[in-house]
Amino acid sequence: MTPGEGVDKAQQKVAAQAAAADLRRIASEGRAIAIEIDGAGSVRNRVLEAVNVRTAKGVFHRYQKEAIRLSHIHELLVIEKGRRTGLTWAFAGDDAVTAATKRGEGGSDVFYIGPSFDMAREYIDACAGFARAFMGIDAQVGEFMFSDEDPNEPGHSRQIKAYRIDFASGYSIQALTSAPRSLRGRQGLVRIDEGAFVDNLAELLKAALALVMLGARVVVISTHNGVDNAFNKLIQEIRSGERDGHVMTITFADALDDGLYERIATIRDLELTEEAKTKWVAKIRKLYGAAAAEELDAVPSRSTGSWLSYDLVERAEDPDVPVLRLSFDNAFAFKPDHIRQAEVADWCREHLAPLLEKLDGSSVGVGGDFARFSDLSVIWVLQELKDRSWRTPFVVEMRNVPYREQEYVWIFILQRIRRWKAKVDAHGNGSYLAERLMQTFGKVRVEGVKALKDWWRDQGAPLLSRFQDERIRIVRDRDIATDLRMVKVVEGAPAIPAQRTTEKDADGVKETGKRHGDAAVALFHASAALREGADVEVGGETAENTGAPVGYLGEEAAAPYQPLNLTGF
C-alpha cells in the first residue's frame, strides 16, 4: 500500500463514519416520534423509523422493488428466498398503498396467508405502519373470524381467526392466521407467505388461482423446506413449462450486494467497514450451520425425511426403459385354465421375449414384490454393465393377475436369463411364490425375503449410493417415481409408511388402483440380488440357461402348467 492509498482509505473511513452518525441521528429522531405514537419496539415503529431514515422513496432495496414490480405483471409470481431478505416487509408497504387506493385507480382487496398467528400479526402491523408513514392514515387493526370450508367435514364451515384493516377506499387488507381451503366469493390480491410451510400448499394455491380469472394476482414467497416439498415442486413445474408463472430468486448474498448489511449496521450501530461486514456475514452463516444453503442461499435440501429425493430419482430416469403392465378384470381368474394360460403366454411372447433376447451374458438381479388383490406385483430386472454401472432393461407390473399366471411370468423371465439371482418378498401370500420359484430353480438362485429393519438399512445404503453417484438407470414413470419417493427414513433405516397412494391412467384422470411402494420394494430386492451373487457358480451347472442343478429341472420340465420333475431333488 502506498502512502497515498493509505490516506485515501482513512478519509473514506472517516466519511463513512460521519454518514453513519448522521443516519443514526435521523433514525433516533424518527424513533422518538414513533415511540410517542405507539410505544417502543412495535412493528409500526420500525416502519416509521425506516421511512424517516431512508425516505419513502429509498426505504426498499432494489431487489424488493423488483419483486413488487414483478407482482404487478405476473398472475402467479413465486419467490424462492433466503432469510433476512425482508420480502414480507416490502409487500406490506405495497399492499397498504394498493388497499388505500380508490376503486378504478388500481385499488384492490389484499389477502395475506401465512403458516402462523405471529406472522399474520406482524404483517398486518407492518401494513398499518406503512399506511401511516406513506399516506398519514391512522390505520386501525381489527380482529374478525374468517369463514372457511372445513376440510374434515365437507359442506360445513369453520372459523379462522384473522386481522383486518379497512380503508376509506372501500378496500381492506385481511391477514389470516392459517391457510383456508376456499376463497369463494372473494376477489383481490393473494400473498402466500412461507408457502413451503403452510398446510397443503397445492389445495391453497388451487383456491387462490381461482381468483385470477377475475383479474387477481397471486404471490407465493418462501424459503425452501426440502427438495420434495410442494413449494419446490411448484417452482420446478413453472421452470419446466408445465405451469404458467414466473420464478424469482433472492438469496442472502443478493441482499448483501444490495446494501443489507449497511442498512442493518446503520440501525444497530455496527461498524461500517468491510472487515466488520465479513465477520457479521460469517457469524450469520455459522448460526445456520449445515442448513445455510437452504436457509440463506435458496437451495432446497436433498431430503425432508424421504430416503430418495426428487432430484436423485429424476437424474436416474431413462425415458427409453419400458414398463410392461399386465392387468385383468375379476372374471379372468375363473376362465378355463387353457384360456388363461394362452392369454398370458401370448402376452409374454409379445412383450417380454424381445426384451429378454437383448440381454447379453452380464450379471442380472431380479427383484419382486407380490400382491394379488389390493396392490401391485412388480418384477424389477437390474443388469450390471461392463463399467459396473447398473441399468434397468424393463419393469413388469401386474394388477389382479391370478397366482398361477404370476408364477408363469416369473418363470418365463428367469428361464431366458443366463446369469442371475432373484429375491422375492416372502411376506404374506408372497411366501407361496417364493417357495414355488425356489422349488423350480433352487435355493441358491432364488431367495424368499422377509425384510426387517436391519435388512432395509443394510441394503438401502449401497443402493442410495448408486443414485447419488449416478451409477444406476431406472424407468421414467410417474407412478414408479411416486413409489420410490414414498420410502422414508425411519429411525435411520428406509421404510414404507402404512398409507397407500392412488394410481391413475395415462391422462392422470381415472383412478386405476392403489399402490404401496411396490416398485420400490422390487428395486431393493433386485439390488440385493445383484450385489449378493448373480455370478454364483452352481455346482454341476446344466447346459440350459436356468443354472439349476444337474438332473433337477431343465427348461422343458420347468415350463409352467407341466408336472414338476423332482428327479435329483
Side-chain angles (χ1 to χ4, degrees):
M1 178 186 295
T2 65
E5 289 176 340
V7 171
D8 289 341
K9 289 200 171 185
Q11 290 175 343
Q12 290 172 5
K13 183 175 181 179
V14 170
Q17 290 174 342
D22 190 44
L23 284 173
R24 290 188 189 108
R25 178 184 57 77
I26 299 172
S28 178
E29 293 173 357
R31 189 180 296 111
I33 295 171
I35 290 173
E36 285 185 16
I37 299 173
D38 282 326
S42 73
V43 174
R44 296 190 193 191
N45 286 345
R46 297 200 299 272
V47 170
L48 288 170
E49 182 176 327
V51 175
N52 276 320
V53 170
R54 296 287 176 179
T55 74
K57 189 175 182 180
V59 71
F60 299 131
H61 291 284
R62 285 190 301 273
Y63 66 84
Q64 292 171 326
K65 294 177 183 178
E66 178 63 9
I68 291 170
R69 187 187 72 83
L70 291 173
S71 75
H72 286 270
I73 297 174
H74 299 283
E75 292 179 336
L76 173 60
L77 173 64
V78 180
I79 305 175
E80 55 177 356
K81 69 179 186 68
R83 296 199 183 276
R84 300 176 179 261
T85 50
L87 265 296
T88 305
W89 163 279
F91 275 99
D94 186 59
D95 294 343
V97 174
T98 299
T101 302
K102 295 179 181 178
R103 194 177 303 274
E105 297 180 7
S108 175
D109 287 323
V110 181
F111 299 95
Y112 169 92
I113 301 164
S116 72
F117 173 91
D118 291 338
M119 289 181 66
R121 181 74 215 197
E122 185 168 347
Y123 164 81
I124 201 74
D125 284 345
C127 289
F130 278 116
R132 182 179 301 172
F134 285 169
M135 298 163 289
I137 298 173
D138 186 15
Q140 299 298 313
V141 176
E143 295 185 9
F144 75 107
M145 301 306 292
F146 183 95
S147 183
D148 181 43
E149 180 181 316
D150 191 334
N152 299 316
E153 296 185 54
H156 295 77
S157 62
R158 62 171 182 167
Q159 302 297 311
I160 297 176
K161 184 177 180 179
Y163 298 105
R164 180 177 186 137
I165 298 175
D166 292 312
F167 292 89
S169 63
Y171 293 115
S172 67
I173 299 174
Q174 300 178 31
L176 281 60
T177 59
S178 63
R181 288 295 188 278
S182 172
L183 292 170
R184 292 191 186 96
R186 295 174 173 86
Q187 182 58 33
L189 307 180
V190 180
R191 314 301 196 205
I192 301 175
D193 199 5
E194 290 298 349
F197 301 89
V198 299
D199 177 34
N200 201 335
L201 177 61
E203 289 298 318
L204 173 57
L205 197 59
K206 187 188 300 183
L209 290 176
L211 278 61
V212 169
M213 292 184 290
L214 298 176
R217 294 183 300 277
V218 179
V219 178
V220 184
I221 308 167
S222 189
T223 48
H224 276 287
N225 187 26
V227 73
D228 294 325
N229 188 272
F231 176 69
N232 186 52
K233 291 179 182 178
L234 171 64
I235 290 172
Q236 300 310 314
E237 287 175 2
I238 294 174
R239 285 177 171 159
S240 66
E242 295 178 27
R243 182 194 286 266
D244 288 337
H246 183 81
V247 176
M248 180 183 187
T249 303
I250 302 172
T251 67
F252 180 56
D254 294 331
L256 288 171
D257 290 342
D258 203 13
L260 177 66
Y261 173 77
E262 288 73 18
R263 187 164 298 189
I264 292 174
T266 299
I267 300 299
R268 295 180 53 196
D269 199 19
L270 303 177
E271 288 187 27
L272 282 167
T273 64
E274 282 300 317
E275 183 181 2
K277 179 178 179 179
T278 300
K279 288 182 178 179
W280 183 81
V281 171
K283 177 182 177 182
I284 295 298
R285 288 197 168 276
K286 187 176 181 180
L287 178 66
Y288 284 101
E294 183 166 67
E295 296 291 328
L296 300 177
D297 303 329
V299 177
S301 62
R302 287 190 176 277
S303 177
T304 54
S306 295
W307 172 75
L308 196 61
S309 65
Y310 183 89
D311 61 329
L312 288 181
V313 173
E314 191 173 54
R315 292 208 304 264
E317 290 176 335
D318 183 344
D320 295 328
V321 178
V323 181
L324 308 176
R325 290 186 164 97
L326 177 64
S327 64
F328 295 108
D329 58 23
N330 293 332
F332 178 80
F334 303 102
K335 289 183 177 182
D337 287 356
H338 68 282
I339 298 294
R340 299 197 318 275
Q341 295 167 15
E343 285 193 35
V344 174
D346 287 345
W347 184 86
C348 288
R349 284 192 292 267
E350 179 183 353
H351 297 285
L352 288 174
L355 296 173
L356 290 166
E357 288 173 2
K358 295 179 181 178
L359 295 180
D360 55 23
S362 57
S363 300
V364 173
V366 186
D369 186 33
F370 179 87
R372 175 61 183 91
F373 297 104
S374 59
D375 301 317
L376 283 170
S377 284
V378 180
I379 303 173
W380 195 302
V381 179
L382 205 53
Q383 178 186 24
E384 184 173 64
L385 304 180
K386 288 184 178 180
D387 63 0
R388 299 199 64 196
S389 64
W390 291 356
R391 176 182 176 273
T392 303
F394 61 88
V395 174
V396 177
E397 292 190 349
M398 294 179 282
R399 184 176 294 282
N400 203 25
V401 176
Y403 295 99
R404 292 200 69 190
E405 280 62 52
Q406 291 198 41
E407 181 186 343
Y408 179 97
V409 173
W410 268 95
I411 293 177
F412 188 95
I413 291 172
L414 297 181
Q415 282 181 339
R416 289 161 175 77
I417 305 174
R418 177 63 184 170
R419 300 164 65 186
W420 60 270
K421 184 167 185 177
K423 289 180 179 287
V424 185
D425 178 48
H427 287 102
N429 288 335
S431 61
Y432 161 79
L433 176 64
E435 183 179 76
R436 292 291 294 121
L437 293 178
M438 285 189 287
Q439 290 171 346
T440 304
F441 296 105
K443 292 195 290 184
V444 174
R445 282 299 180 96
V446 180
E447 179 185 355
V449 179
K450 293 186 177 181
L452 299 176
K453 176 184 174 182
D454 289 348
W455 186 93
W456 281 94
R457 184 194 60 220
D458 294 342
Q459 299 302 332
L463 180 56
L464 178 60
S465 177
R466 291 229 164 226
F467 278 96
Q468 292 170 336
D469 297 341
E470 299 187 32
R471 293 183 296 125
I472 185 171
R473 302 296 289 167
I474 64 172
V475 62
R476 177 179 292 177
D477 180 84
R478 177 186 59 210
D479 294 319
I480 288 178
T482 299
D483 279 0
L484 295 177
R485 295 199 300 273
M486 189 176 182
V487 181
K488 305 297 181 184
V489 177
V490 179
E491 296 181 354
I496 297 178
Q499 70 266 25
R500 284 169 165 76
T501 58
T502 301
E503 179 183 88
K504 296 187 178 181
D505 60 16
D507 296 325
V509 178
K510 184 179 178 182
E511 294 186 2
T512 56
K514 298 294 184 181
R515 303 179 70 100
H516 189 221
D518 311 297
V521 175
L523 175 58
F524 266 76
H525 284 93
S527 169
L530 187 52
R531 288 180 58 250
E532 292 179 18
D535 290 326
V536 65
E537 290 293 332
V538 180
E541 191 172 34
T542 66
E544 283 79 15
N545 53 12
T546 63
V550 172
Y552 179 52
L553 292 175
E555 183 172 343
E556 292 181 2
Y561 312 118
Q562 298 296 323
L564 285 175
N565 175 8
L566 298 179
T567 303
F569 179 72

